Amino acid sequence: MATKLDEKLEPIFRDVLRRNPGEDEFHQAVREVLESLGPVLVKYPEFAEQKIIQRICEPERQIIFRVPWQDDSGETHINRAFRVEFNSALGPYKGGMRFHPSVYLGIIKFLGFEQIFKNALTGLPIGGGKGGSDFDPKGRSENEVMRFCQSLMTELYRHLGEYTDVPAGDIGLGQREIGYLFGQYKRVTNRYESGVLTGKGLDWGGSRARKEATGYGTVFFAQEMLKARSDALDGKTCIVSGSGNVAIYAMEKAMQLGARVIACSDSGGIIVDKDGIDLDLVKQIKEVERRRISAYAEERKSARYIEDGSIWSVQCDVALPCATENELNGNDAKQLVSQGCIAVAEGANMPTTPEGIHVFQEAGIAYGPGKAANAGGVATSALEMQQNASRDSWTFRYTESRLEEIMKTIHTSCFETAKEFGSPGNYVVGANITGFLKVARAMTALGLV
Ligand code: NDP
């Protein structure tokens, strides 16, 4: 199913496989970018001569460390944490931290690699990095989560700094954890360095609209893709996978733009609400009570919960995958297309498998890959850094308008680049090439470092 690689890129990919054994998600992310770059090397042979692609595929620095902590009963636990500082050609490393039992080096490297191009697409001065731990916050008490975050930061702080590396949240790591991490950073460095972490609370250096930014941005991107086809979200039926930070605010913006959202999920199952999702109830269950999404169906007569159900079997016009990587495969994509889905915008990172992407592209539906469609989160993190640097705090309306403008610009540059390189309407090609060119030019200018 995979597209054949250009003959100059095939040995580069083989080398990535050899040097990074067993890291399937990283291989997948690299391959997807390399598949787009053949025409770039024809137009810019200097990037091949300078081995820019080989350099981009090798992280500048990888940090792996032990995180020891005690649970409430006094038992000792040992977790492993990672920070992969991938590329700093455009600015300090920037990218979230993920807390999930599935985390290992291959996941962090795939996320860090994607982050390089995504951050470049925002047009803001941020390099790419990512981190996380195999710690599972589910079922842990507040105190256990705090102790874990403090132990992690006691090691990680020495690698961070507002001009060095600036983490944020991701799966399993939201504002509560950012608070504990920031508190410990402040304590061990004796510096109130607001710009060292983003996703902070509004009372202690956070930005308005950051919490909403990834989900809102994904929907702005979907709206732009539809506009390019003389269509709009208004009146469309939407489904959104997940019910975490990205999913909740994707649903909110989709509803604000006139769409009807009828389904969402968590890792246990899906809920379908024929009257439309009651977002206040989802927020109460997920953000306040931290319960399972199944609780929604207990509270709403119009909804049903399907344990282990596939959200992609629910008929829709627009699908927004906002949970996790490889959650939408070739068969799911076929089902979506056959049931009339006309657009997919990814709030999650790499949620669609290569086979799924192929189905969408063959069907000619509008498909916005995560590195473009979910870039609004990191873009607003960079706006949070701007506010921290100027000791200022912007209004919600202004910050959201900046976010919307950035998403429109990303859409336009992906659209135009795809056309320029012979793949009109292909946002994968557009995003990969636009991001790559920006980083490659900066790396060239900065010399062999
Ligand atoms: P959250 O932890 O807030 O929410 C994740 C949601 O996805 C939950 O509903 C969770 O269900 C579900 N989920 C997670 N893992 C799995 C799995 N293996 N199988 C099925 N469902 C799963 O994370 P975010 O909303 O922050 O992140 C979601 C996605 O968006 C990720 O891919 C992340 O990398 C990406 N992203 C996030 C950004 C941000 O600003 N937060 C920025 C850009 C991208 P459950 O609770 O049952 O685990």
Side-chain angles (χ1 to χ4, degrees):
M1 187 67 72
T3 314
K4 207 171 161 339
L5 285 178
D6 177 277
E7 61 178 23
K8 285 202 187 69
L9 293 163
E10 187 62 54
I12 297 177
F13 185 60
R14 273 205 308 274
D15 215 35
V16 167
L17 295 179
R18 185 184 60 77
R19 290 166 68 85
N20 306 279
E23 297 176 0
D24 295 347
E25 297 83 0
F26 179 51
H27 303 160
Q28 184 183 335
V30 171
R31 177 151 192 127
E32 191 233 82
V33 170
L34 297 197
E35 282 176 4
S36 301
L37 295 185
V40 176
L41 294 187
V42 175
K43 195 162 178 183
Y44 303 102
E46 63 272 27
F47 293 144
E49 284 154 26
Q50 295 163 4
K51 299 203 173 173
I52 293 285
I53 299 172
Q54 291 91 324
R55 283 159 60 192
I56 288 185
C57 290
E58 184 67 24
E60 290 176 12
R61 191 175 299 107
Q62 305 183 57
I63 302 147
I64 305 179
F65 56 100
R66 181 177 73 191
V67 185
W69 59 283
Q70 270 187 339
D71 68 21
D72 291 343
S73 69
E75 190 186 335
T76 294
H77 297 263
I78 308 294
N79 282 95
R80 184 177 289 173
F82 307 85
R83 187 74 189 163
V84 175
E85 298 181 335
F86 230 115
N87 194 296
S88 60
L90 298 178
Y93 310 106
K94 183 87 198 82
M97 296 283 290
R98 175 177 293 191
F99 288 170
H100 194 271
S102 64
V103 164
Y104 78 107
L105 188 57
I107 296 256
I108 301 302
K109 277 163 74 177
F110 119 63
L111 290 164
F113 185 76
E114 292 269 297
Q115 199 81 46
I116 303 170
F117 305 97
K118 179 191 310 195
N119 293 4
L121 281 170
T122 67
L124 296 163
I126 38 179
K130 196 85 187 187
S133 171
D134 56 6
F135 172 70
D136 187 356
K138 278 204 196 89
R140 289 292 170 198
S141 70
E142 287 276 332
N143 275 329
E144 289 173 331
V145 170
M146 180 176 73
R147 280 199 296 277
F148 177 79
C149 289
Q150 290 176 339
S151 179
L152 183 141
M153 187 52 91
T154 305
E155 170 58 31
L156 187 62
Y157 84 94
R158 68 188 87 246
H159 304 288
L160 306 183
E162 62 180 311
Y163 298 108
T164 311
D165 186 353
V166 183
D170 191 84
I171 290 178
L173 201 158
Q175 198 180 99
R176 174 182 66 171
E177 291 75 19
I178 292 289
Y180 296 145
L181 292 167
F182 183 60
Q184 185 71 351
Y185 183 87
K186 183 173 80 61
R187 181 187 197 186
V188 295
T189 60
N190 193 29
R191 282 161 66 86
Y192 203 106
E193 190 185 336
S194 301
V196 74
L197 287 165
T198 59
K200 300 181 294 295
L202 290 183
D203 295 331
W204 37 280
S207 171
R208 291 189 178 80
R210 173 60 189 93
K211 182 175 68 174
E212 294 82 358
T214 309
Y216 277 22
T218 301
V219 173
F220 287 139
F221 195 89
Q223 177 82 321
E224 289 305 300
M225 290 197 300
L226 289 171
K227 251 197 231 165
R229 295 167 174 235
S230 308
D231 205 344
L233 267 170
D234 190 24
K236 298 284 186 293
T237 300
C238 266
I239 58 173
V240 180
S241 65
S243 49
N245 172 262
V246 179
I248 286 175
Y249 293 96
M251 290 194 262
E252 184 163 285
K253 183 51 72 180
M255 289 173 189
Q256 285 173 9
L257 294 179
R260 214 169 72 87
V261 182
I262 56 161
C264 67
S265 63
D266 65 15
S267 58
I270 72 173
I271 52 161
V272 184
D273 189 335
K274 58 181 170 40
D275 288 352
I277 295 286
D278 175 346
L279 198 54
D280 288 338
L281 182 55
V282 174
K283 285 184 182 174
Q284 178 65 26
I285 290 169
K286 284 293 176 181
E287 291 188 330
V288 181
E289 297 167 7
R290 295 178 186 268
R291 290 161 73 200
R292 312 303 300 155
I293 201 65
S294 54
Y296 181 96
E298 292 159 19
E299 315 265 340
R300 285 265 290 184
K301 287 213 168 43
S302 53
R304 66 200 161 98
Y305 174 68
I306 308 166
E307 196 175 337
D308 291 331
S310 165
I311 195 157
W312 315 121
S313 64
V314 179
Q315 196 280 327
C316 67
D317 303 309
V318 176
L320 305 172
C322 294
T324 192
E325 59 274 1
N326 292 329
E327 56 165 314
L328 196 168
N329 64 27
N331 287 334
D332 299 325
K334 279 183 197 149
Q335 186 161 18
L336 280 170
V337 169
S338 71
Q339 294 185 160
C341 177
I342 56 165
V344 176
E346 296 181 339
N349 285 309
M350 209 168 75
T352 310
T353 64
E355 293 75 21
I357 296 173
H358 184 75
V359 171
F360 292 146
Q361 291 180 332
E362 285 289 296
I365 72 165
Y367 166 67
K371 67 169 80 68
N374 72 35
V378 74
T380 309
S381 276
L383 301 182
E384 183 174 331
M385 291 164 74
Q386 280 185 34
Q387 293 168 74
N388 295 148
S390 58
R391 295 189 173 5
D392 198 359
S393 171
W394 305 342
T395 63
F396 190 95
R397 187 192 287 247
Y398 175 71
T399 317
E400 189 191 6
S401 71
R402 293 281 306 264
L403 165 67
E404 186 171 4
E405 217 34 62
I406 289 167
M407 295 315 295
K408 284 183 175 168
T409 306
I410 293 174
H411 175 270
T412 306
S413 48
C414 293
F415 190 83
E416 295 300 329
T417 305
K419 205 158 51 174
E420 181 190 338
F421 283 85
S423 300
N426 186 331
Y427 292 97
V428 175
V429 166
N432 287 339
I433 297 183
T434 307
F436 173 80
L437 285 177
K438 193 143 199 228
V439 178
R441 287 185 183 121
M443 287 175 73
T444 304
L446 299 184
L448 186 54
V449 291

